[in-house]
Each structure stands twice: as C-alpha cells, then as structure tokens.
Amino acid sequence: MDERKLAAISAAANFDFEGTLTDIAPFGNGHINETWLARFEIGLMGPLYVIMQKINISVFTEPERLMENIAGVTSWLRKKIIEEGGDPERETLTLIPAKDGKVFYRGENGQYWRAYRFITDATCYDMAESAEDFRQSAIAFGRFQRRLADYPADSLYESIPGFHDTQMRLATFRKAVADDTCGRRKDVQKEIDFVLSHADLATCYKRAAGNTPLPLRVTHNDTKLNNVMIDDKTHKGICVIDLDTVMPGFVMNDFGDSIRFGASTALEDERDLSKVSCSLDLFSAYAEGFMQECASRLTEAEKSLLPDSALVMTYECGTRFLTDYLQGDTYFRIHRPGQNLDRARNQFRLVEDMESKLPRMREIVADAAAAAQKKETGAV
Ligand code: ADP
Ligand code: GN1
Ligand code: MG
C-alpha cells in the first residue's frame, strides 16, 4: 500500500468516527489539499462516508489558525441556515472533531488533517453542464456572501496574505522570470510577453476606484465551479465548500474567479486553444444569479467593475500558473509535465477572448443589475 494511503488510514484512526473503516481513496480535483473519501461500516445502518483532507502546509503555513477560521465560518453559517429554515447538514460543511476534541488532527510528522461529513447526492463540476447549473452556482456563492455579510471580518486570519493582490502576483512573476531557476524561461517568451503586455490589468481596480476605496467584504476568494456542490436531484447549488481562503476581499474577485473557471467553454488545462472561449450565455446566467442574491448590497463602483474582474482574475490565475511553471511546479498539483504551462496558455487565451467581449459583458451585467433591482422594488 502506498505511503499516502497509509498516512490517511492512520489519520482516520484519530477522528471521532463511528464504525469500521472499510475503504479510503483519493477524491476530487482540487489543486492544493489532499482529499480522501473514507467509507465506514456501522452495522445495520449501512455505510457512512466522510471527507478527510490533509492540509497543504506549504501553502497554509498556520493550519491551526486556518482551522479557527473554518470552524468560525461554518458555525456562523449553520446558525444562519437554521434561522432561514434550511438544512445545515447539506448547506454548509460540518467538521468532525478529532478524538481530542480539536477540529483538526496533528500527526506526529507535523501533518495536519481535518474531516468533514460527506455531502451525499450532490456533485462538484469541473465544467458547467448547463447554464442553469451555472446560475445555481452563482446563487450559492451570492448567498454565501450575503450570509457572511455581518460576520466579524476582523476575527478572520489572512490565510494567504495578498492572495488576490494582482500587483504582488505580477512582482512575484517578474522575479521568477529573472531568477529562471529551472531554465524554462527560454521556452515561454511568448507567454512572458503576454503577461507583461497586459500588466495594466493588475491596476484595473485602483485606477477605476480613484480616491474612493472599494469596500472590503468577507469573500470566498476561490469561487471555482468545483467548489460548490450542486444537488443531483434538484440541481440547486446547495453548499459552498473549500473554505481555506475565506478572508476579507473584494466582491469582484469572487465574481471574476467564477467566470474565469465556469464560463469557459473548455477545461482549465485544455490544450486545444481553439476550444477555449468565454461563453456569453454562461456569463449571463452567472451575472443574473449573482445579482439576484447580491445586487442590492453592492455599490455602483463594485457593480461596474464586475465585467473587468473576469479579465483580472483570469490574468492573475494565468500569471500564477506561469510563475509556478517557471519555479518548477511547486504550488499547483500537476498530473503531467507541462500542465501548469498548458493552464497558463489556456487562461491567456481566455483573457484575449474576454477582451473582445468586454463591451457585451458590461451590458449584460448592467441589465442583470437593473432586473434584480426591479424585482426587489416590486416594479413590473
Ligand atoms: P482543494 O482545496 O484541494 O480544492 P476541496 O476542499 O475543494 O480541496 O475538496 C476537493 C474536492 O473534494 C471537491 O471539489 C469535492 O469534489 C470534494 N469534497 C470536499 N468536501 C466535500 C464534502 N464535505 N462532501 C462531498 N464532497 C466534498
Ligand atoms: C486552486 O484549491 P483549488 O483547487 O480549489 C487555488 C486557486 C486557483 C485555482 C486554479 C489556495 O484552487 O487560487 O484559482 O487552484 N487555490 C489556492 O484552478 O491557491
Ligand atoms: Mg477546491
């Protein structure tokens, strides 16, 4: 048996699970943590599934503070969901404590593990199967944002400082190019030129906001379609997951990151770039769903920056993939050589496509905001 599996089994023994562990296997398509699905047999009750995650401690360097964030946010959401008459077991993550009562288990080797109840009969998609599913993900992320609107933001630890500071990401990229530690620079001059020629995107919000600071809200910061669970029967977006990066941030980034990933007509690492574009149908569906949940809480400045945020986030993510490629693939998990470069090329193609569609994207967001407002004021 491989070492990773043995480590997962030994971590599982330290959680407060009922029953006997009968199976444990890698699960999901996340790029950062190591996720396992564990199956327990509890007599006549049949199998019980739990999600176990080994926290990536190179990325999340203070896992205990990170887990305080997650415990705080999930118990807050739980309360809100109950108040709204929802089902807290399906609409937010539920942490399963370790045997010592903590919300994590620290192994002797310094690895950190956490466990969640497995949300059954729901799926995380890597690509939208329909505009309606994508609209549902927007509603789920919009609702998440609304439910956390009055969360004490000061109590949140910044799990990755400067996570969506695009200027900082660009500076890190420039350094990776200059250092060229893996000798890969010579193969990616075209991509480097793309990043440098689009550097204006890194200051887009600052230039638009001028002297009026944009509001900092409690945001998710990693709003990929595969971080929301869609109910298999009702097709409603039920639960936002992957809460490691819940921090104060700009609402635009949550919107933009969803578009980057979910409105693309291809997977994030598709190599045939002729397949990669931003679907305006998917974009509209997301804008409508998000506005339905949030429009009344957003400022005019925020709303006007949502279309641009799709470009900013796609550019930022592409730059991060290319940086990681130059640095030797140490951050994002890869499954084949060159995958981070493929991902970067894919994101840059998407930026180009979005540039040509930006005027239409602006109209769509303005229409969606107006429709949401009309609905709220009861106008026909
Ligand atoms: P990463 O940070 O690596 O992206 P995630 O927290 O997003 O890790 O989990 C990876 C995948 O595991 C998700 O995309 C989802 O498919 C699955 N998953 C995570 N938590 C749960 C859960 N509580 N119930 C069911 N599936 C889950
Ligand atoms: C990572 O953890 P996951 O796979 O949901 C990354 C995001 C990137 C995304 C690109 C903590 O998300 O910022 O946008 O990959 N998460 C972290 O797919 O860096
Ligand atoms: Mg994830």
Side-chain angles (χ1 to χ4, degrees):
M1 199 184 291
D2 82 85
E3 255 176 58
R4 286 168 56 233
K5 187 163 177 168
L6 283 172
I9 294 171
S10 127
N14 289 280
F15 281 89
D16 214 359
F17 302 135
E18 280 176 68
T20 313
L21 179 69
T22 53
D23 195 17
I24 186 158
F27 194 74
N29 287 329
H31 294 339
I32 305 295
N33 295 308
E34 199 181 288
T35 303
W36 296 80
L37 177 63
R39 182 182 189 275
F40 291 83
E41 205 61 55
I42 7 180
L44 292 176
M45 274 179 71
L48 174 85
Y49 292 92
V50 302
I51 286 285
M52 289 200 48
Q53 284 185 322
K54 184 166 103 181
I55 302 173
N56 183 329
I57 53 173
S58 323
V59 170
F60 300 108
T61 51
E62 293 193 64
E64 298 191 17
R65 294 184 74 192
L66 169 73
M67 290 312 296
E68 264 176 50
N69 276 4
I70 296 184
V73 165
T74 49
S75 52
W76 177 276
L77 289 172
R78 201 182 160 77
K79 237 175 76 201
K80 291 262 168 176
I81 293 162
I82 293 170
E83 278 165 20
E84 291 174 21
D87 176 356
E89 309 275 287
R90 280 181 81 63
E91 294 178 38
T92 188
L93 289 171
T94 307
L95 281 163
I96 302 172
K99 283 189 172 152
D100 62 5
K102 294 196 173 120
V103 289
F104 56 82
Y105 162 68
R106 184 180 184 278
E108 276 160 25
N109 53 6
Q111 298 296 345
Y112 279 83
W113 289 83
R114 66 183 167 216
Y116 291 119
R117 291 176 71 113
F118 181 72
I119 298 174
T120 54
D121 307 308
T123 305
C124 290
Y125 292 95
D126 284 318
M127 253 180 91
E129 291 195 343
S130 70
E132 192 44 42
D133 277 4
F134 196 41
R135 184 195 313 275
Q136 288 301 325
S137 78
I139 294 172
F141 281 123
R143 191 180 297 142
F144 180 84
Q145 162 89 211
R146 175 171 56 68
R147 284 176 174 158
L148 289 173
D150 47 354
Y151 189 82
D154 294 350
S155 69
L156 280 172
Y157 146 73
E158 204 179 357
S159 56
I160 303 184
F163 190 56
H164 286 315
D165 179 342
T166 314
Q167 279 182 285
M168 190 198 85
R169 297 287 187 186
L170 187 55
T172 308
F173 166 76
R174 287 183 200 274
K175 186 165 180 330
V177 173
D179 293 350
D180 192 23
T181 47
C182 298
R184 292 177 170 179
R185 180 174 60 196
K186 58 183 185 325
D187 308 324
V188 294
Q189 197 53 50
K190 210 171 113 212
E191 289 73 23
I192 293 173
D193 291 344
F194 184 93
V195 174
L196 299 178
S197 65
H198 286 74
D200 264 10
L201 281 171
T203 52
C204 165
Y205 303 157
K206 263 192 193 149
R207 281 180 287 115
N211 293 327
T212 319
L214 291 158
L216 270 182
R217 304 181 184 276
V218 175
T219 46
H220 182 278
N221 295 302
D222 190 2
T223 50
K224 282 159 70 161
L225 179 62
N226 68 14
N227 283 333
V228 61
M229 306 214 60
I230 309 272
D231 189 289
D232 292 340
K233 287 196 199 91
T234 64
H235 283 268
K236 301 263 181 253
I238 47 164
C239 182
V240 168
I241 63 165
D242 204 345
L243 305 177
D244 295 316
T245 51
V246 175
M247 291 181 275
F250 294 138
V251 69
M252 293 84 73
N253 294 334
D254 274 4
F255 181 88
D257 198 42
S258 282
I259 301 301
R260 170 191 81 72
F261 188 88
S264 176
T265 50
L267 288 172
E268 195 184 49
D269 62 348
E270 173 60 58
R271 303 171 72 163
D272 178 353
L273 298 186
S274 69
K275 292 187 181 157
V276 181
S277 67
C278 175
S279 153
L280 287 178
D281 284 346
L282 291 173
F283 182 85
S284 298
Y286 198 92
E288 286 162 14
F290 199 72
M291 284 301 170
Q292 175 188 320
E293 285 295 320
C294 293
S296 60
R297 326 177 68 89
L298 304 185
T299 66
E300 288 309 315
E302 286 177 305
K303 281 186 261 186
S304 72
L305 280 169
L306 293 180
D308 300 74
S309 73
L311 281 90
V312 174
M313 290 305 291
T314 311
Y315 170 74
E316 181 190 281
C317 196
T319 302
R320 291 172 63 198
F321 286 143
L322 188 57
T323 303
D324 198 29
Y325 177 73
L326 287 165
Q327 291 177 335
D329 307 306
T330 58
Y331 186 91
F332 296 103
R333 179 178 304 120
I334 54 166
H335 307 279
R336 59 167 191 265
Q339 194 173 10
N340 275 321
L341 178 57
D342 294 339
R343 290 171 176 152
R345 288 180 171 146
N346 175 306
Q347 299 296 289
F348 298 150
R349 171 72 201 104
L350 204 48
V351 171
E352 279 171 347
D353 187 57
M354 288 173 177
E355 281 175 322
S356 70
K357 292 175 176 161
L358 191 56
R360 185 65 198 120
M361 285 156 69
R362 290 197 170 123
E363 286 169 5
I364 292 170
V365 169
D367 289 350
Q373 212 135 352
K374 230 179 182 180
K375 208 167 160 192
E376 190 150 318
T377 54
V380 247

